[in-house]
Each structure stands twice: as structure tokens, then as C-alpha cells.
Amino acid sequence: MVVTSTMKSKNSECISELIDRRCDQAQIDEELDYWDHGLIEPNLNGEVFEERTCQHLAKMFENCLSRAKKTKLHCSEVLVPEKLTSRIARDVLRLSSGEPCGLRGCILYINLEVENVCKKLDRIIYDSSVVPTFELTLVFKQDSSAWPSLRDFFLIGACFSPGFRHALKLSPGFRLVKKKLYSPSAGTVVEEY
């Protein structure tokens, strides 16, 4: 029996085929239940895979910010809006979906825009065994509307060296810039969120 996406579950042709093979009612029910489940599951597996990839990407972004906070950002903590890294991960997957190697062919540059200056935080190659086919540049933005907390004023003079902030708050907005490496005429795509 061949199953396609246009096959209706438990249709009369399937049942008659099983009867012709002299299957009893229990075997017919088992066979049909298997195919009903099998038609739904591939889509579910794709969603599970995409969700795991999103979670993995979000964790990579969080780790990047964690590594950069003392070395490049000069702060003791980075405050990230809830679900920001998950939103970015979904958008990165969406921009990767039309590429020849998908996310595996991506070089991801991670930057932070602070007071109109971009600081380079990290460079991530998602799969080093694949020749990169495109670049994505992610630009986190500092929340410029945030006032420094009173605690920061007290801690700056007492505990931290000059130029060291206690906390850096990120904005919920970000920018993704996509550049195809295999087609110079394709141009650059900039998406601002």
C-alpha cells in the first residue's frame, strides 16, 4: 500500500485491499490506525526538530552574551528581554530556510549597538563541515530608554574600575542583515525588528 498526502484515512479502497488479502478485522484496524498515525507524525517531527534548533540557537546567543559581558561589554550582567533570543532564533531559521544548505551553511556575526557604535561580540559557524553559503549579522541593541539604577550609582565607585558598568539592558529590538556568499548580485537583505 502506498500512502500519499492526498489519501483519505480509512477509505473504501484501502479496506477492500486489506479484505482481498484476507485480513481479519483486528489486522485491518491495526493497519489503518498505523497509517493514520504515520500521516500525522512527519509534520510533528519537523516541528519538534525546528523547536530544538530554535532552542539550541537561543542558547548559543545567550552563551555569546555571557562570554562577552566581562571581556567586551565591561559589565557584570546583561539583562535580556524575555523570549528575545527565541524570537531571534526563529527569524534566523526563517532567513536560513531558503538557502542551499539551510542553517548549516551560515556564518553568524553577533554585534551589539551601543550609542550608535557597533561592538563585535562573536562569530559563530553553525556547522564547520559545510562550506558557508551566506552570512547573517545579528545586531543586538542597547535599551537607550533605561535609566541606570540607583544601585549602579553606588556600586560604580565602590567595586568597579572606571568604564565598568554593573548591568547592560538590551532592547527588545534587533537587526538581522543577510548576505549571500554564492551570488554577489543577490544584494543584502536588512530586517529591522
Side-chain angles (χ1 to χ4, degrees), residues 54 57-59 61-62 65 78-92 110-112 138-143 168-176 193:
C54 277
L57 269 173
K59 191 67 174 167
F61 299 144
E62 291 164 9
L65 291 169
V78 177
L79 304 174
V80 181
E82 187 176 2
K83 307 226 187 248
L84 176 64
T85 56
S86 298
R87 280 183 29 230
I88 294 170
R90 277 193 300 277
D91 286 326
V92 166
I110 301 176
N111 300 329
L112 172 67
L138 164 62
V139 181
F140 286 107
K141 298 179 180 182
Q142 180 181 13
D143 188 351
L168 173 72
K169 184 176 180 185
L170 296 182
S171 163
F174 61 93
R175 182 172 49 247
L176 279 170
Y193 300 93

Side-chain angles (χ1 to χ4, degrees), residues 39-127:
L39 287 174
I40 295 168
E41 195 167 300
N43 196 13
L44 191 73
N45 286 339
E47 290 173 14
V48 169
F49 176 74
E50 186 173 316
E51 184 58 33
R52 284 185 188 154
T53 305
C54 277
Q55 289 172 355
H56 180 70
L57 269 173
K59 191 67 174 167
M60 289 172 75
F61 299 144
E62 291 164 9
N63 289 340
C64 169
L65 291 169
S66 179
R67 285 189 307 270
K69 68 183 175 184
K70 288 197 174 147
T71 59
K72 297 179 182 178
L73 300 177
H74 306 292
C75 62
S76 62
E77 61 185 351
V78 177
L79 304 174
V80 181
E82 187 176 2
K83 307 226 187 248
L84 176 64
T85 56
S86 298
R87 280 183 29 230
I88 294 170
R90 277 193 300 277
D91 286 326
V92 166
L93 276 180
R94 181 181 52 78
L95 288 171
S96 301
S97 66
E99 293 301 317
C101 299
L103 184 61
R104 294 176 57 227
C106 180
I107 298 176
L108 187 61
Y109 296 97
I110 301 176
N111 300 329
L112 172 67
E113 189 176 284
V114 179
E115 299 166 4
N116 296 326
V117 176
C118 259
K119 291 185 177 188
K120 294 180 181 187
L121 302 182
D122 207 349
R123 177 177 167 240
I124 298 172
I125 298 174
Y126 195 80
D127 185 346

Side-chain angles (χ1 to χ4, degrees), residues 134-151:
F134 71 106
E135 295 175 343
L136 280 177
T137 302
L138 164 62
V139 181
F140 286 107
K141 298 179 180 182
Q142 180 181 13
D143 188 351
S144 58
S145 67
W147 283 79
S149 71
L150 189 57
R151 183 179 65 176

